[in-house]
Amino acid sequence: HIGTMALLVAALYPIAVLAFVGFSQAFSPLPLCPTRSCASFSSSLLQSTSEDGMTTLLIGSLNRIGTDAHLILASQSPRRVEILDMMGLAGKFTQMPSPLDEEALQVELATQTISPEDYAKILAERKAEALGLHLKNTSDDVPEVPTFILGSDTIVDLEGHILNKPNDESDAIRMLQSLSGQWHRVHTGVALYKVSKSTEVTLVSSFTDTANVEFAGLSQEDIEAYVDTNEPLDKAGSYGIQGIGGQ
């Protein structure tokens, strides 16, 4: 069965990790996940030890975000706004949609041999990069202080098959039927880019975090009733764990 809070943490926590660790690279001596996924970096997330043996708390960098550095969330997702707010970043970042043509990118990636994990990471990278390039080309919008752009994307992976947003209600029903009673994987790609007036748009770090999810068996009546709520129609895999789909 779907563990609502567990999946929310698995899907959204990587954003918090990358935002913390990415800014720490700019403001403290903490290495940026050099040998392992940032998602497994949680045990040392809130503190690090510098070369002189002093402990540096990453929370100490938060007050510099919005003044010494600017953070832009390249997403319209209210859930991703919520996770940054929960980190203590409420009012310290701006939210801007990426100009990336996601459908065109998905068509491009469909012609390539690529793992679902890499697929999610590339989507996140391209979202953040596209916004960075847009800001760079309209230089009046680039703040004088260093600007970090945070991009993220989540996909559903059923036995190696990527389930994007459904095309219509029939497609949503088909996806939910295929997920019913099955295990699948939810991949969240996260990317952090840096842009300023004097430098190029550069990738700071990117990674993919994965949650394993088991669906309960769903009756046809439940599937059709859920699709009738319209919630699945703009969700990867045709369900939203944070909404009715988390029942």
Side-chain angles (χ1 to χ4, degrees), residues 117-136:
E117 293 88 345
D118 286 342
Y119 184 97
K121 184 173 70 170
I122 290 172
L123 286 175
E125 289 175 348
R126 296 283 188 90
K127 278 185 178 180
E129 183 183 33
L131 182 56
L133 291 172
H134 171 73
L135 293 175
K136 185 72 175 177

Side-chain angles (χ1 to χ4, degrees), residues 166-204:
N167 297 320
D168 51 31
E169 292 184 357
S170 296
D171 196 26
I173 289 173
R174 179 192 61 78
M175 287 188 191
L176 292 168
Q177 288 172 335
S178 67
L179 291 169
S180 176
Q182 302 295 320
W183 281 94
H184 66 276
R185 309 177 81 197
V186 178
H187 304 293
T188 298
V190 188
L192 190 71
Y193 275 77
K194 182 179 179 182
V195 60
S196 68
K197 290 185 176 181
S198 59
T199 62
E200 297 300 318
V201 179
T202 55
L203 177 65
V204 177

Side-chain angles (χ1 to χ4, degrees), residues 39-56:
S40 65
F41 200 49
S42 57
S43 62
S44 58
L45 173 63
L46 295 180
Q47 64 181 39
S48 64
T49 303
S50 61
E51 294 180 358
D52 60 5
M54 295 293 291
T55 298
T56 301

Side-chain angles (χ1 to χ4, degrees), residues 2 7 154-157 163-166 172 175-176 179 182 184-187 211-215 218 226-227 231-246:
I2 302 173
L7 183 55
T154 298
I155 64 166
V156 172
D157 166 11
L163 304 184
N164 288 307
K165 296 176 182 178
M175 287 188 191
L176 292 168
L179 291 169
Q182 302 295 320
H184 66 276
R185 309 177 81 197
V186 178
H187 304 293
N212 294 311
V213 182
E214 183 184 16
F215 252 46
L218 303 175
Y226 180 45
V227 173
E231 182 179 272
L233 300 183
D234 65 344
K235 303 290 191 297
S238 298
Y239 75 92
I241 191 66
Q242 72 276 14
I244 300 170

